[in-house]
Amino acid sequence: MSWEDNVRRVTPYVPGEQPKDGQKVIKLNTNENPYPPSPLVVKALSAFDADKLRLYPAADVGPLRDAIADYYGFGSDEVFVGVGSDDVLATAFLTFFNSDKPIIFADITYSFYDVWAEVFRIPYEIKPLDDDFHIKRTDYLCPNGGIVIANPNAPTGVSEMGDIDFIEEIVASNPGSVVIVDEAYVDFGGVTALPLVKKYENLFVVRTFSKSRSFAGMRIGYAFGSSRLIKYLNDIKYSINSYTMNRPAIELGIAALSDDEYFRKTVDAVIRTRTWTGEELKKRGFAVTDSKTNFVFASPSGISAKELFCKLRERGIFVRWWDKPRLGDFLRISIGTDDEMRALMDAIDEIIGKSEG
Ligand code: PMP
């Protein structure tokens, strides 16, 4: 018997590669926003009083939580804030998924879900998406211990659009379990399930400042749910770490939220560049999904995705590729600035040669 027999072991989530210090790359591999945060954030950062760092922050994240509640028209007791949506999601898995029945999520989705299920010993069942990477709704109508849906999905970029009736049917059909809808990318054109939160006590909608508010480095995630749901979540949060959100994050988060004009402008710019990128890739023979996110999911022709990934990397352009079933033929390419995406196209042309059309 060794102490190692008692260790909780898990195969961890693998984040996208970070460039080494001083290495100049075009970084299109972690879905960061290519634009800086709002000028109001820059102003709030330079005005931040370092003396306040002596003091613990608000354990309930009060000022930022209230600002989010106001912005979206919810009560403060219906909002939860965490250290990125990863923190919110992990806490939600731990809180809401405590059944012997398996939780359900898609075969191709955010690759953190199965990691949290493994860490927390939550049984899970994986449901394959259809050939167009859409959810098969009947998969989510069978007995389960909980449901997780990323909408829009990652890394496919595909949104369960149409209408929210689809999500509503799943939530309404599962009063015995919590349905988590991960809307990390919804600001880039998805359809939100937020209106359903007022109607269903078992729905939990998770969002982030990382993508659409250019705040990946600040780590702010947030979520909406019934006050009862949020209370249970807080009970777990306060049982692990009361002071999750640091003071600068709380102050700068409020500043980011206050600049709606900048938010809309930068989101629109990303969407425009996404459309251009999709068109350019199609001209070069790629199959591209209809992305509603800040990345495209594209399968090259005439070269394997793996080889293209490696050759782009050699040229200092980082994109994401997974050696996994159904994913191996695709690259996930985050949307950068127009200049970065033009440089990407030039590099692709150099690697595979431009096809006609
Ligand atoms: N959900 C999805 C679907 C994501 O792709 C990501 C980004 N990796 C997250 C949640 C977590 O983002 P963050 O912790 O930065 O809010």
Side-chain angles (χ1 to χ4, degrees):
M1 177 81 177
S2 150
W3 59 269
E4 278 187 295
D5 298 326
N6 291 322
V7 167
R8 186 182 297 266
R9 297 189 202 199
V10 70
T11 308
Y13 170 78
V14 184
E17 180 178 1
Q18 292 292 82
K20 314 245 173 331
D21 276 350
Q23 188 187 8
K24 260 195 91 63
V25 302
I26 295 181
K27 194 167 178 304
L28 307 176
N29 66 340
T30 49
N31 300 341
E32 288 144 329
N33 196 308
Y35 302 108
S38 149
L40 296 188
V41 171
V42 179
K43 208 165 130 202
L45 181 59
S46 51
F48 183 81
D49 178 5
D51 182 52
K52 286 194 204 150
L53 295 179
R54 288 187 306 108
L55 306 170
Y56 282 110
D60 63 2
V61 204
L64 176 57
R65 181 203 55 197
D66 295 348
I68 292 170
D70 267 4
Y71 183 94
Y72 289 100
F74 280 83
S76 290
D77 58 351
E78 296 168 312
V79 175
F80 184 83
V81 183
V83 188
S85 53
D86 281 341
D87 177 44
V88 177
L89 286 162
T91 311
F93 269 57
L94 186 57
T95 310
F96 302 136
F97 299 156
N98 191 32
S99 165
D100 294 334
K101 287 189 221 128
I103 63 166
I104 294 176
F105 48 86
D107 60 340
I108 303 174
T109 191
Y110 187 30
S111 51
F112 228 135
Y113 300 156
D114 55 348
V115 176
W116 287 316
E118 295 281 351
V119 183
F120 300 137
R121 310 234 169 99
I122 300 162
Y124 60 98
E125 207 171 294
I126 286 178
K127 302 288 183 181
L129 297 175
D130 70 18
D131 291 343
D132 296 324
F133 299 128
H134 280 284
I135 283 172
K136 290 181 255 172
R137 46 176 278 289
T138 47
D139 283 346
Y140 293 76
L141 305 179
C142 53
N144 62 75
I147 287 174
V148 195
I149 298 173
N151 191 33
N153 198 6
T156 63
V158 169
S159 176
E160 298 305 336
M161 296 285 287
D163 43 59
I164 52 175
D165 288 359
F166 175 81
I167 302 280
E168 178 159 15
E169 185 187 2
I170 292 174
V171 177
S173 308
N174 288 287
S177 49
V178 173
V179 178
I180 297 179
V181 180
D182 179 351
E183 295 192 347
Y185 299 101
V186 77
D187 291 328
F188 299 101
V191 175
T192 183
L194 266 193
L196 302 178
V197 169
K198 300 275 184 199
K199 216 168 145 187
Y200 298 95
E201 233 185 1
N202 61 322
L203 173 63
F204 187 64
V205 176
V206 185
R207 301 249 186 123
T208 180
F209 277 38
S210 294
K211 320 291 177 184
S212 55
R213 296 186 190 274
S214 307
F215 251 38
M218 189 45 77
R219 314 303 299 127
I220 298 177
Y222 59 107
F224 303 92
S226 59
S227 55
R228 265 155 56 108
L229 211 79
I230 299 295
K231 184 218 168 283
Y232 286 123
L233 198 65
N234 274 315
D235 288 347
I236 293 293
K237 169 203 144 137
Y238 287 121
S239 305
I240 296 175
N241 180 7
S242 318
Y243 302 110
T244 49
M245 305 303 293
N246 63 60
R247 282 179 172 270
I250 294 174
E251 285 197 21
L252 302 187
I254 293 169
L257 206 58
S258 72
D259 197 347
D260 216 36
E261 195 185 326
Y262 183 85
F263 165 69
R264 287 178 203 285
K265 198 173 80 182
T266 47
V267 163
D268 285 349
V270 169
I271 292 173
R272 263 198 315 277
T273 309
R274 178 185 74 206
T275 306
W276 181 86
T277 304
E279 295 302 318
E280 290 298 314
L281 289 173
K282 282 182 197 160
K283 281 184 201 165
R284 288 159 176 82
F286 286 64
V288 186
T289 62
D290 179 20
S291 171
K292 301 293 179 198
T293 63
N294 67 339
F295 55 86
V296 290
F297 190 58
S299 177
S301 72
I303 185 170
S304 72
K306 180 182 180 183
E307 191 181 349
L308 184 54
F309 163 78
C310 293
K311 291 198 161 153
L312 287 170
R313 194 174 173 281
E314 282 165 17
R315 286 166 172 77
I317 300 178
F318 286 12
V319 300
R320 199 90 202 257
W321 173 74
W322 287 270
D323 190 7
K324 281 191 186 170
R326 298 185 79 190
L327 290 181
D329 292 339
F330 285 84
L331 296 178
R332 192 198 68 189
I333 306 171
S334 309
I335 299 302
T337 61
D338 288 341
D339 282 351
E340 287 174 327
M341 301 322 275
R342 269 193 291 270
L344 170 74
M345 294 307 159
D346 289 347
I348 290 174
D349 287 343
E350 213 180 278
I351 295 164
I352 64 173
K354 200 168 186 169
S355 71
E356 68 285 355

